[in-house]
Amino acid sequence: MSKSGRPREFKDTAVIDAAMEVFWSQGYEACSTDDLCKETGLGRGSLYNAFGSKHELYEQALIRYHQMGIEAQLDILRKDAPVKERLRELLEWEIWKDSAAKDRGCLIINASAERGKSDPAVEKIFKQHLGLLEHAIEDAIREGQSSGEICRERETSEVAAMFLSCYYGLRVIYPGTMNRALARQIIDGTLAAIF
């Protein structure tokens, strides 16, 4: 039990998910402790007893978002389907489905843009997320090259880097414009450049 009498076990995913929504909607700097207390249902003392600081709760929210997002993306890339179909599905992942991210962007991208250069924790989480995704994309590209779907003349890492750049560009452009025609052009153009 903490000094306030509340068990520390309430540091569960529901509280982190509620905080994640606040950070996602407002960003780190604009988010106040009062906002976090209101959304999580915890008092200021309970929040600080459980998480130590606003920043530690922010880290937990980013880690939670990373874990949920990377699992979904890796599942798409590791499906038993043609590589082109998997890459298309990944490009469309947050755009065509009814997703919380489609109109406010990716929390990790937003965090990196807001605090990546000044916050080592944000930089570490972003790099971890990017690294896992990059390796899975390289594996898919390599598989496509082995099966003959993708030309073997180009370096796997070069093709993967181009795809990754288009993927992240799309994930920044679409929430800012909500322009489905432009998103479709980016998706079709990216795939045409690879296949």
Side-chain angles (χ1 to χ4, degrees):
M1 298 271 280
S2 66
K3 291 179 183 178
S4 67
R6 278 189 94 141
R8 289 187 61 95
E9 293 81 48
F10 73 91
K11 188 189 337 185
D12 62 9
T13 55
V15 171
I16 294 170
D17 286 349
M20 181 174 64
E21 289 296 324
V22 178
F23 289 125
W24 201 356
S25 296
Q26 299 181 22
Y28 180 80
E29 295 299 332
C31 175
S32 71
T33 303
D34 289 340
D35 295 329
L36 292 168
C37 290
K38 180 180 175 185
E39 288 302 314
T40 63
L42 298 178
R44 187 179 293 262
S46 296
L47 197 67
Y48 284 118
N49 282 337
F51 295 98
S53 68
K54 172 184 162 182
H55 190 269
E56 288 180 39
L57 180 54
Y58 184 59
E59 284 183 57
Q60 290 298 314
L62 289 176
I63 290 167
R64 171 91 168 128
Y65 183 91
H66 156 70
Q67 290 168 341
M68 293 185 316
I70 201 67
E71 286 177 25
Q73 292 169 91
L74 296 181
D75 285 348
I76 291 168
L77 288 168
R78 293 175 179 157
K79 279 183 174 181
D80 185 19
V83 173
K84 185 175 185 177
E85 186 179 309
R86 287 182 265 161
L87 294 179
R88 177 179 296 282
E89 185 175 343
L90 184 63
L91 288 166
E92 295 174 346
W93 176 57
E94 286 291 356
I95 294 174
W96 309 137
K97 70 178 189 167
D98 186 21
S99 166
K102 75 178 180 184
D103 62 351
R104 55 184 168 165
C106 168
L107 176 60
I108 290 180
I109 293 172
N110 297 348
S112 179
E114 181 184 15
R115 301 184 55 79
K117 294 289 184 198
S118 63
D119 189 327
V122 172
E123 182 180 21
K124 179 182 175 185
I125 293 165
F126 181 77
K127 284 182 177 179
Q128 180 184 13
H129 190 87
L130 186 65
L132 289 168
L133 187 58
E134 183 177 21
H135 287 270
I137 290 168
E138 283 181 359
D139 288 345
I141 299 293
R142 195 172 294 109
E143 185 181 333
Q145 289 173 322
S146 294
S147 71
E149 283 183 76
I150 300 172
C151 178
R152 293 178 189 222
E153 291 177 15
R154 293 169 59 195
E155 289 290 323
T156 303
S157 60
E158 177 186 308
V159 177
M162 188 269 297
F163 179 86
L164 189 66
S165 175
C166 293
Y167 177 61
Y168 273 92
L170 180 62
R171 293 189 74 194
V172 170
I173 291 169
Y174 185 72
T177 65
M178 299 301 282
N179 184 331
R180 293 175 73 90
L182 177 59
R184 176 59 59 206
Q185 286 179 323
I186 293 169
I187 292 168
D188 291 345
T190 300
L191 295 173
I194 295 172
F195 293 90

PDB file of all heavy atoms in Angstrom, residues 139-176:
ATOM      1  N   ASP A 139      12.540  -7.994 -43.906  1.00  0.00           N
ATOM      2  CA  ASP A 139      12.245  -9.427 -44.045  1.00  0.00           C
ATOM      3  C   ASP A 139      11.213  -9.673 -45.141  1.00  0.00           C
ATOM      4  O   ASP A 139      11.354 -10.594 -45.948  1.00  0.00           O
ATOM      5  CB  ASP A 139      11.739 -10.010 -42.719  1.00  0.00           C
ATOM      6  CG  ASP A 139      12.827 -10.133 -41.668  1.00  0.00           C
ATOM      7  OD1 ASP A 139      14.032 -10.046 -42.010  1.00  0.00           O
ATOM      8  OD2 ASP A 139      12.476 -10.321 -40.481  1.00  0.00           O
ATOM      9  N   ALA A 140      10.166  -8.846 -45.176  1.00  0.00           N
ATOM     10  CA  ALA A 140       9.130  -8.991 -46.200  1.00  0.00           C
ATOM     11  C   ALA A 140       9.703  -8.710 -47.589  1.00  0.00           C
ATOM     12  O   ALA A 140       9.417  -9.448 -48.548  1.00  0.00           O
ATOM     13  CB  ALA A 140       7.956  -8.067 -45.902  1.00  0.00           C
ATOM     14  N   ILE A 141      10.516  -7.665 -47.717  1.00  0.00           N
ATOM     15  CA  ILE A 141      11.137  -7.333 -49.006  1.00  0.00           C
ATOM     16  C   ILE A 141      12.044  -8.479 -49.453  1.00  0.00           C
ATOM     17  O   ILE A 141      12.010  -8.905 -50.613  1.00  0.00           O
ATOM     18  CB  ILE A 141      11.942  -6.006 -48.920  1.00  0.00           C
ATOM     19  CG1 ILE A 141      11.042  -4.820 -48.556  1.00  0.00           C
ATOM     20  CG2 ILE A 141      12.721  -5.749 -50.213  1.00  0.00           C
ATOM     21  CD1 ILE A 141      10.029  -4.417 -49.572  1.00  0.00           C
ATOM     22  N   ARG A 142      12.849  -8.979 -48.536  1.00  0.00           N
ATOM     23  CA  ARG A 142      13.743 -10.103 -48.843  1.00  0.00           C
ATOM     24  C   ARG A 142      12.941 -11.320 -49.319  1.00  0.00           C
ATOM     25  O   ARG A 142      13.317 -11.986 -50.284  1.00  0.00           O
ATOM     26  CB  ARG A 142      14.573 -10.453 -47.597  1.00  0.00           C
ATOM     27  CG  ARG A 142      15.771 -11.333 -47.864  1.00  0.00           C
ATOM     28  CD  ARG A 142      16.647 -11.486 -46.622  1.00  0.00           C
ATOM     29  NE  ARG A 142      17.268 -10.231 -46.234  1.00  0.00           N
ATOM     30  CZ  ARG A 142      16.944  -9.512 -45.148  1.00  0.00           C
ATOM     31  NH1 ARG A 142      16.017  -9.929 -44.322  1.00  0.00           N
ATOM     32  NH2 ARG A 142      17.560  -8.375 -44.876  1.00  0.00           N
ATOM     33  N   GLU A 143      11.831 -11.578 -48.647  1.00  0.00           N
ATOM     34  CA  GLU A 143      10.964 -12.683 -49.042  1.00  0.00           C
ATOM     35  C   GLU A 143      10.412 -12.444 -50.456  1.00  0.00           C
ATOM     36  O   GLU A 143      10.357 -13.365 -51.275  1.00  0.00           O
ATOM     37  CB  GLU A 143       9.818 -12.808 -48.038  1.00  0.00           C
ATOM     38  CG  GLU A 143       8.913 -13.991 -48.268  1.00  0.00           C
ATOM     39  CD  GLU A 143       7.776 -14.057 -47.256  1.00  0.00           C
ATOM     40  OE1 GLU A 143       7.920 -13.547 -46.120  1.00  0.00           O
ATOM     41  OE2 GLU A 143       6.729 -14.624 -47.626  1.00  0.00           O
ATOM     42  N   GLY A 144      10.005 -11.200 -50.726  1.00  0.00           N
ATOM     43  CA  GLY A 144       9.508 -10.863 -52.060  1.00  0.00           C
ATOM     44  C   GLY A 144      10.579 -10.998 -53.129  1.00  0.00           C
ATOM     45  O   GLY A 144      10.302 -11.415 -54.261  1.00  0.00           O
ATOM     46  N   GLN A 145      11.814 -10.683 -52.779  1.00  0.00           N
ATOM     47  CA  GLN A 145      12.919 -10.845 -53.725  1.00  0.00           C
ATOM     48  C   GLN A 145      13.205 -12.327 -53.980  1.00  0.00           C
ATOM     49  O   GLN A 145      13.470 -12.731 -55.106  1.00  0.00           O
ATOM     50  CB  GLN A 145      14.163 -10.132 -53.211  1.00  0.00           C
ATOM     51  CG  GLN A 145      14.038  -8.617 -53.269  1.00  0.00           C
ATOM     52  CD  GLN A 145      15.199  -7.901 -52.607  1.00  0.00           C
ATOM     53  OE1 GLN A 145      15.708  -8.333 -51.576  1.00  0.00           O
ATOM     54  NE2 GLN A 145      15.598  -6.767 -53.186  1.00  0.00           N
ATOM     55  N   SER A 146      13.118 -13.135 -52.937  1.00  0.00           N
ATOM     56  CA  SER A 146      13.360 -14.570 -53.086  1.00  0.00           C
ATOM     57  C   SER A 146      12.284 -15.250 -53.927  1.00  0.00           C
ATOM     58  O   SER A 146      12.575 -16.170 -54.692  1.00  0.00           O
ATOM     59  CB  SER A 146      13.420 -15.257 -51.717  1.00  0.00           C
ATOM     60  OG  SER A 146      14.535 -14.812 -51.001  1.00  0.00           O
ATOM     61  N   SER A 147      11.045 -14.780 -53.782  1.00  0.00           N
ATOM     62  CA  SER A 147       9.935 -15.396 -54.527  1.00  0.00           C
ATOM     63  C   SER A 147       9.809 -14.843 -55.942  1.00  0.00           C
ATOM     64  O   SER A 147       9.031 -15.364 -56.743  1.00  0.00           O
ATOM     65  CB  SER A 147       8.621 -15.172 -53.785  1.00  0.00           C
ATOM     66  OG  SER A 147       8.231 -13.810 -53.852  1.00  0.00           O
ATOM     67  N   GLY A 148      10.541 -13.775 -56.261  1.00  0.00           N
ATOM     68  CA  GLY A 148      10.472 -13.171 -57.580  1.00  0.00           C
ATOM     69  C   GLY A 148       9.431 -12.064 -57.690  1.00  0.00           C
ATOM     70  O   GLY A 148       9.267 -11.479 -58.763  1.00  0.00           O
ATOM     71  N   GLU A 149       8.738 -11.748 -56.597  1.00  0.00           N
ATOM     72  CA  GLU A 149       7.749 -10.659 -56.623  1.00  0.00           C
ATOM     73  C   GLU A 149       8.441  -9.305 -56.777  1.00  0.00           C
ATOM     74  O   GLU A 149       7.879  -8.385 -57.366  1.00  0.00           O
ATOM     75  CB  GLU A 149       6.945 -10.626 -55.320  1.00  0.00           C
ATOM     76  CG  GLU A 149       5.868 -11.665 -55.193  1.00  0.00           C
ATOM     77  CD  GLU A 149       5.095 -11.465 -53.885  1.00  0.00           C
ATOM     78  OE1 GLU A 149       4.262 -10.533 -53.834  1.00  0.00           O
ATOM     79  OE2 GLU A 149       5.342 -12.225 -52.937  1.00  0.00           O
ATOM     80  N   ILE A 150       9.627  -9.191 -56.199  1.00  0.00           N
ATOM     81  CA  ILE A 150      10.374  -7.931 -56.201  1.00  0.00           C
ATOM     82  C   ILE A 150      11.719  -8.179 -56.869  1.00  0.00           C
ATOM     83  O   ILE A 150      12.377  -9.189 -56.608  1.00  0.00           O
ATOM     84  CB  ILE A 150      10.582  -7.412 -54.758  1.00  0.00           C
ATOM     85  CG1 ILE A 150       9.235  -7.172 -54.081  1.00  0.00           C
ATOM     86  CG2 ILE A 150      11.414  -6.144 -54.755  1.00  0.00           C
ATOM     87  CD1 ILE A 150       9.340  -6.846 -52.597  1.00  0.00           C
ATOM     88  N   CYS A 151      12.122  -7.246 -57.700  1.00  0.00           N
ATOM     89  CA  CYS A 151      13.393  -7.341 -58.410  1.00  0.00           C
ATOM     90  C   CYS A 151      14.551  -7.484 -57.418  1.00  0.00           C
ATOM     91  O   CYS A 151      14.635  -6.759 -56.432  1.00  0.00           O
ATOM     92  CB  CYS A 151      13.582  -6.097 -59.269  1.00  0.00           C
ATOM     93  SG  CYS A 151      15.135  -6.060 -60.154  1.00  0.00           S
ATOM     94  N   ARG A 152      15.466  -8.400 -57.733  1.00  0.00           N
ATOM     95  CA  ARG A 152      16.613  -8.638 -56.845  1.00  0.00           C
ATOM     96  C   ARG A 152      17.771  -7.680 -57.090  1.00  0.00           C
ATOM     97  O   ARG A 152      18.738  -7.677 -56.341  1.00  0.00           O
ATOM     98  CB  ARG A 152      17.136 -10.063 -57.046  1.00  0.00           C
ATOM     99  CG  ARG A 152      16.198 -11.125 -56.594  1.00  0.00           C
ATOM    100  CD  ARG A 152      16.794 -12.475 -56.893  1.00  0.00           C
ATOM    101  NE  ARG A 152      15.824 -13.516 -56.653  1.00  0.00           N
ATOM    102  CZ  ARG A 152      16.098 -14.650 -56.059  1.00  0.00           C
ATOM    103  NH1 ARG A 152      17.317 -14.899 -55.653  1.00  0.00           N
ATOM    104  NH2 ARG A 152      15.171 -15.550 -55.904  1.00  0.00           N
ATOM    105  N   GLU A 153      17.683  -6.886 -58.132  1.00  0.00           N
ATOM    106  CA  GLU A 153      18.799  -6.009 -58.496  1.00  0.00           C
ATOM    107  C   GLU A 153      19.029  -4.905 -57.466  1.00  0.00           C
ATOM    108  O   GLU A 153      20.144  -4.411 -57.329  1.00  0.00           O
ATOM    109  CB  GLU A 153      18.564  -5.386 -59.874  1.00  0.00           C
ATOM    110  CG  GLU A 153      18.646  -6.392 -60.994  1.00  0.00           C
ATOM    111  CD  GLU A 153      18.345  -5.788 -62.346  1.00  0.00           C
ATOM    112  OE1 GLU A 153      18.352  -4.552 -62.475  1.00  0.00           O
ATOM    113  OE2 GLU A 153      18.102  -6.563 -63.283  1.00  0.00           O
ATOM    114  N   ARG A 154      17.977  -4.513 -56.765  1.00  0.00           N
ATOM    115  CA  ARG A 154      18.114  -3.441 -55.775  1.00  0.00           C
ATOM    116  C   ARG A 154      18.392  -4.033 -54.407  1.00  0.00           C
ATOM    117  O   ARG A 154      17.904  -5.103 -54.057  1.00  0.00           O
ATOM    118  CB  ARG A 154      16.843  -2.593 -55.753  1.00  0.00           C
ATOM    119  CG  ARG A 154      16.672  -1.820 -57.059  1.00  0.00           C
ATOM    120  CD  ARG A 154      15.338  -1.183 -57.226  1.00  0.00           C
ATOM    121  NE  ARG A 154      15.015  -0.247 -56.182  1.00  0.00           N
ATOM    122  CZ  ARG A 154      13.783   0.214 -55.977  1.00  0.00           C
ATOM    123  NH1 ARG A 154      12.791  -0.187 -56.737  1.00  0.00           N
ATOM    124  NH2 ARG A 154      13.550   1.068 -55.016  1.00  0.00           N
ATOM    125  N   GLU A 155      19.176  -3.308 -53.630  1.00  0.00           N
ATOM    126  CA  GLU A 155      19.491  -3.744 -52.274  1.00  0.00           C
ATOM    127  C   GLU A 155      18.220  -3.805 -51.428  1.00  0.00           C
ATOM    128  O   GLU A 155      17.387  -2.895 -51.482  1.00  0.00           O
ATOM    129  CB  GLU A 155      20.480  -2.773 -51.610  1.00  0.00           C
ATOM    130  CG  GLU A 155      21.876  -2.830 -52.151  1.00  0.00           C
ATOM    131  CD  GLU A 155      22.583  -4.121 -51.772  1.00  0.00           C
ATOM    132  OE1 GLU A 155      22.379  -4.616 -50.652  1.00  0.00           O
ATOM    133  OE2 GLU A 155      23.330  -4.629 -52.633  1.00  0.00           O
ATOM    134  N   THR A 156      18.099  -4.863 -50.641  1.00  0.00           N
ATOM    135  CA  THR A 156      16.942  -5.031 -49.764  1.00  0.00           C
ATOM    136  C   THR A 156      16.780  -3.832 -48.848  1.00  0.00           C
ATOM    137  O   THR A 156      15.675  -3.293 -48.695  1.00  0.00           O
ATOM    138  CB  THR A 156      17.104  -6.319 -48.916  1.00  0.00           C
ATOM    139  OG1 THR A 156      17.269  -7.421 -49.791  1.00  0.00           O
ATOM    140  CG2 THR A 156      15.913  -6.551 -48.018  1.00  0.00           C
ATOM    141  N   SER A 157      17.876  -3.400 -48.245  1.00  0.00           N
ATOM    142  CA  SER A 157      17.800  -2.277 -47.297  1.00  0.00           C
ATOM    143  C   SER A 157      17.371  -0.990 -47.982  1.00  0.00           C
ATOM    144  O   SER A 157      16.657  -0.167 -47.394  1.00  0.00           O
ATOM    145  CB  SER A 157      19.133  -2.086 -46.582  1.00  0.00           C
ATOM    146  OG  SER A 157      20.161  -1.813 -47.517  1.00  0.00           O
ATOM    147  N   GLU A 158      17.767  -0.800 -49.236  1.00  0.00           N
ATOM    148  CA  GLU A 158      17.381   0.397 -49.990  1.00  0.00           C
ATOM    149  C   GLU A 158      15.867   0.401 -50.263  1.00  0.00           C
ATOM    150  O   GLU A 158      15.192   1.421 -50.086  1.00  0.00           O
ATOM    151  CB  GLU A 158      18.153   0.431 -51.306  1.00  0.00           C
ATOM    152  CG  GLU A 158      17.800   1.581 -52.221  1.00  0.00           C
ATOM    153  CD  GLU A 158      18.503   1.451 -53.574  1.00  0.00           C
ATOM    154  OE1 GLU A 158      19.734   1.271 -53.594  1.00  0.00           O
ATOM    155  OE2 GLU A 158      17.797   1.528 -54.597  1.00  0.00           O
ATOM    156  N   VAL A 159      15.337  -0.738 -50.692  1.00  0.00           N
ATOM    157  CA  VAL A 159      13.903  -0.848 -50.972  1.00  0.00           C
ATOM    158  C   VAL A 159      13.106  -0.675 -49.674  1.00  0.00           C
ATOM    159  O   VAL A 159      12.098   0.032 -49.638  1.00  0.00           O
ATOM    160  CB  VAL A 159      13.565  -2.199 -51.644  1.00  0.00           C
ATOM    161  CG1 VAL A 159      12.060  -2.333 -51.874  1.00  0.00           C
ATOM    162  CG2 VAL A 159      14.322  -2.355 -52.955  1.00  0.00           C
ATOM    163  N   ALA A 160      13.581  -1.303 -48.600  1.00  0.00           N
ATOM    164  CA  ALA A 160      12.897  -1.197 -47.303  1.00  0.00           C
ATOM    165  C   ALA A 160      12.914   0.235 -46.797  1.00  0.00           C
ATOM    166  O   ALA A 160      11.909   0.719 -46.270  1.00  0.00           O
ATOM    167  CB  ALA A 160      13.548  -2.132 -46.288  1.00  0.00           C
ATOM    168  N   ALA A 161      14.035   0.928 -46.956  1.00  0.00           N
ATOM    169  CA  ALA A 161      14.135   2.320 -46.499  1.00  0.00           C
ATOM    170  C   ALA A 161      13.185   3.215 -47.288  1.00  0.00           C
ATOM    171  O   ALA A 161      12.543   4.109 -46.723  1.00  0.00           O
ATOM    172  CB  ALA A 161      15.566   2.824 -46.624  1.00  0.00           C
ATOM    173  N   MET A 162      13.076   2.982 -48.600  1.00  0.00           N
ATOM    174  CA  MET A 162      12.152   3.765 -49.422  1.00  0.00           C
ATOM    175  C   MET A 162      10.715   3.522 -48.975  1.00  0.00           C
ATOM    176  O   MET A 162       9.934   4.457 -48.802  1.00  0.00           O
ATOM    177  CB  MET A 162      12.330   3.394 -50.899  1.00  0.00           C
ATOM    178  CG  MET A 162      11.562   4.285 -51.857  1.00  0.00           C
ATOM    179  SD  MET A 162       9.896   3.725 -52.276  1.00  0.00           S
ATOM    180  CE  MET A 162      10.210   2.185 -53.076  1.00  0.00           C
ATOM    181  N   PHE A 163      10.366   2.251 -48.748  1.00  0.00           N
ATOM    182  CA  PHE A 163       9.011   1.927 -48.302  1.00  0.00           C
ATOM    183  C   PHE A 163       8.734   2.573 -46.947  1.00  0.00           C
ATOM    184  O   PHE A 163       7.677   3.172 -46.746  1.00  0.00           O
ATOM    185  CB  PHE A 163       8.809   0.412 -48.210  1.00  0.00           C
ATOM    186  CG  PHE A 163       7.434   0.042 -47.731  1.00  0.00           C
ATOM    187  CD1 PHE A 163       6.382  -0.075 -48.618  1.00  0.00           C
ATOM    188  CD2 PHE A 163       7.184  -0.151 -46.382  1.00  0.00           C
ATOM    189  CE1 PHE A 163       5.094  -0.383 -48.169  1.00  0.00           C
ATOM    190  CE2 PHE A 163       5.911  -0.453 -45.925  1.00  0.00           C
ATOM    191  CZ  PHE A 163       4.863  -0.570 -46.826  1.00  0.00           C
ATOM    192  N   LEU A 164       9.671   2.454 -46.031  1.00  0.00           N
ATOM    193  CA  LEU A 164       9.501   3.013 -44.689  1.00  0.00           C
ATOM    194  C   LEU A 164       9.301   4.528 -44.740  1.00  0.00           C
ATOM    195  O   LEU A 164       8.442   5.077 -44.040  1.00  0.00           O
ATOM    196  CB  LEU A 164      10.711   2.658 -43.822  1.00  0.00           C
ATOM    197  CG  LEU A 164      10.618   2.965 -42.337  1.00  0.00           C
ATOM    198  CD1 LEU A 164       9.542   2.111 -41.676  1.00  0.00           C
ATOM    199  CD2 LEU A 164      11.965   2.686 -41.674  1.00  0.00           C
ATOM    200  N   SER A 165      10.057   5.184 -45.594  1.00  0.00           N
ATOM    201  CA  SER A 165       9.928   6.633 -45.754  1.00  0.00           C
ATOM    202  C   SER A 165       8.541   6.998 -46.275  1.00  0.00           C
ATOM    203  O   SER A 165       7.896   7.930 -45.774  1.00  0.00           O
ATOM    204  CB  SER A 165      11.008   7.141 -46.713  1.00  0.00           C
ATOM    205  OG  SER A 165      10.833   8.503 -46.973  1.00  0.00           O
ATOM    206  N   CYS A 166       8.069   6.273 -47.259  1.00  0.00           N
ATOM    207  CA  CYS A 166       6.722   6.527 -47.804  1.00  0.00           C
ATOM    208  C   CYS A 166       5.659   6.230 -46.755  1.00  0.00           C
ATOM    209  O   CYS A 166       4.676   6.971 -46.626  1.00  0.00           O
ATOM    210  CB  CYS A 166       6.490   5.679 -49.050  1.00  0.00           C
ATOM    211  SG  CYS A 166       7.528   6.155 -50.451  1.00  0.00           S
ATOM    212  N   TYR A 167       5.851   5.161 -46.012  1.00  0.00           N
ATOM    213  CA  TYR A 167       4.884   4.763 -44.982  1.00  0.00           C
ATOM    214  C   TYR A 167       4.754   5.845 -43.906  1.00  0.00           C
ATOM    215  O   TYR A 167       3.654   6.262 -43.558  1.00  0.00           O
ATOM    216  CB  TYR A 167       5.330   3.432 -44.366  1.00  0.00           C
ATOM    217  CG  TYR A 167       4.466   2.929 -43.237  1.00  0.00           C
ATOM    218  CD1 TYR A 167       3.126   2.634 -43.442  1.00  0.00           C
ATOM    219  CD2 TYR A 167       5.001   2.721 -41.974  1.00  0.00           C
ATOM    220  CE1 TYR A 167       2.334   2.149 -42.406  1.00  0.00           C
ATOM    221  CE2 TYR A 167       4.217   2.238 -40.938  1.00  0.00           C
ATOM    222  CZ  TYR A 167       2.889   1.952 -41.155  1.00  0.00           C
ATOM    223  OH  TYR A 167       2.110   1.477 -40.132  1.00  0.00           O
ATOM    224  N   TYR A 168       5.885   6.311 -43.400  1.00  0.00           N
ATOM    225  CA  TYR A 168       5.833   7.347 -42.364  1.00  0.00           C
ATOM    226  C   TYR A 168       5.385   8.689 -42.927  1.00  0.00           C
ATOM    227  O   TYR A 168       4.676   9.441 -42.260  1.00  0.00           O
ATOM    228  CB  TYR A 168       7.169   7.458 -41.626  1.00  0.00           C
ATOM    229  CG  TYR A 168       7.231   6.487 -40.474  1.00  0.00           C
ATOM    230  CD1 TYR A 168       7.771   5.221 -40.631  1.00  0.00           C
ATOM    231  CD2 TYR A 168       6.697   6.820 -39.242  1.00  0.00           C
ATOM    232  CE1 TYR A 168       7.780   4.312 -39.583  1.00  0.00           C
ATOM    233  CE2 TYR A 168       6.710   5.920 -38.188  1.00  0.00           C
ATOM    234  CZ  TYR A 168       7.255   4.673 -38.370  1.00  0.00           C
ATOM    235  OH  TYR A 168       7.256   3.781 -37.331  1.00  0.00           O
ATOM    236  N   GLY A 169       5.771   8.985 -44.157  1.00  0.00           N
ATOM    237  CA  GLY A 169       5.277  10.204 -44.789  1.00  0.00           C
ATOM    238  C   GLY A 169       3.764  10.187 -44.908  1.00  0.00           C
ATOM    239  O   GLY A 169       3.084  11.177 -44.608  1.00  0.00           O
ATOM    240  N   LEU A 170       3.224   9.055 -45.317  1.00  0.00           N
ATOM    241  CA  LEU A 170       1.781   8.905 -45.431  1.00  0.00           C
ATOM    242  C   LEU A 170       1.106   9.073 -44.078  1.00  0.00           C
ATOM    243  O   LEU A 170       0.057   9.713 -43.971  1.00  0.00           O
ATOM    244  CB  LEU A 170       1.465   7.525 -46.016  1.00  0.00           C
ATOM    245  CG  LEU A 170      -0.002   7.164 -46.209  1.00  0.00           C
ATOM    246  CD1 LEU A 170      -0.668   8.116 -47.199  1.00  0.00           C
ATOM    247  CD2 LEU A 170      -0.115   5.721 -46.700  1.00  0.00           C
ATOM    248  N   ARG A 171       1.740   8.551 -43.032  1.00  0.00           N
ATOM    249  CA  ARG A 171       1.149   8.626 -41.694  1.00  0.00           C
ATOM    250  C   ARG A 171       1.219  10.031 -41.112  1.00  0.00           C
ATOM    251  O   ARG A 171       0.542  10.327 -40.132  1.00  0.00           O
ATOM    252  CB  ARG A 171       1.819   7.612 -40.769  1.00  0.00           C
ATOM    253  CG  ARG A 171       1.491   6.185 -41.219  1.00  0.00           C
ATOM    254  CD  ARG A 171       1.931   5.159 -40.251  1.00  0.00           C
ATOM    255  NE  ARG A 171       1.016   5.183 -39.108  1.00  0.00           N
ATOM    256  CZ  ARG A 171       1.284   4.576 -37.959  1.00  0.00           C
ATOM    257  NH1 ARG A 171       2.428   3.945 -37.804  1.00  0.00           N
ATOM    258  NH2 ARG A 171       0.422   4.623 -36.976  1.00  0.00           N
ATOM    259  N   VAL A 172       2.001  10.906 -41.710  1.00  0.00           N
ATOM    260  CA  VAL A 172       2.024  12.320 -41.313  1.00  0.00           C
ATOM    261  C   VAL A 172       1.087  13.126 -42.214  1.00  0.00           C
ATOM    262  O   VAL A 172       0.307  13.947 -41.736  1.00  0.00           O
ATOM    263  CB  VAL A 172       3.455  12.892 -41.380  1.00  0.00           C
ATOM    264  CG1 VAL A 172       3.456  14.401 -41.199  1.00  0.00           C
ATOM    265  CG2 VAL A 172       4.335  12.234 -40.318  1.00  0.00           C
ATOM    266  N   ILE A 173       1.128  12.865 -43.514  1.00  0.00           N
ATOM    267  CA  ILE A 173       0.341  13.646 -44.469  1.00  0.00           C
ATOM    268  C   ILE A 173      -1.158  13.397 -44.313  1.00  0.00           C
ATOM    269  O   ILE A 173      -1.947  14.343 -44.308  1.00  0.00           O
ATOM    270  CB  ILE A 173       0.791  13.341 -45.920  1.00  0.00           C
ATOM    271  CG1 ILE A 173       2.194  13.909 -46.156  1.00  0.00           C
ATOM    272  CG2 ILE A 173      -0.199  13.902 -46.938  1.00  0.00           C
ATOM    273  CD1 ILE A 173       2.844  13.445 -47.446  1.00  0.00           C
ATOM    274  N   TYR A 174      -1.559  12.138 -44.200  1.00  0.00           N
ATOM    275  CA  TYR A 174      -2.996  11.855 -44.213  1.00  0.00           C
ATOM    276  C   TYR A 174      -3.750  12.480 -43.033  1.00  0.00           C
ATOM    277  O   TYR A 174      -4.775  13.137 -43.263  1.00  0.00           O
ATOM    278  CB  TYR A 174      -3.269  10.349 -44.307  1.00  0.00           C
ATOM    279  CG  TYR A 174      -4.751  10.082 -44.444  1.00  0.00           C
ATOM    280  CD1 TYR A 174      -5.412  10.372 -45.636  1.00  0.00           C
ATOM    281  CD2 TYR A 174      -5.490   9.602 -43.379  1.00  0.00           C
ATOM    282  CE1 TYR A 174      -6.781  10.169 -45.765  1.00  0.00           C
ATOM    283  CE2 TYR A 174      -6.861   9.395 -43.500  1.00  0.00           C
ATOM    284  CZ  TYR A 174      -7.502   9.672 -44.697  1.00  0.00           C
ATOM    285  OH  TYR A 174      -8.846   9.483 -44.816  1.00  0.00           O
ATOM    286  N   PRO A 175      -3.285  12.335 -41.790  1.00  0.00           N
ATOM    287  CA  PRO A 175      -4.041  12.969 -40.703  1.00  0.00           C
ATOM    288  C   PRO A 175      -4.123  14.489 -40.830  1.00  0.00           C
ATOM    289  O   PRO A 175      -5.094  15.097 -40.401  1.00  0.00           O
ATOM    290  CB  PRO A 175      -3.262  12.579 -39.441  1.00  0.00           C
ATOM    291  CG  PRO A 175      -2.493  11.374 -39.832  1.00  0.00           C
ATOM    292  CD  PRO A 175      -2.175  11.538 -41.282  1.00  0.00           C
ATOM    293  N   GLY A 176      -3.115  15.074 -41.460  1.00  0.00           N
ATOM    294  CA  GLY A 176      -3.103  16.524 -41.625  1.00  0.00           C
ATOM    295  C   GLY A 176      -3.998  17.023 -42.747  1.00  0.00           C
ATOM    296  O   GLY A 176      -4.434  18.166 -42.734  1.00  0.00           O
TER     297      GLY A 176
END
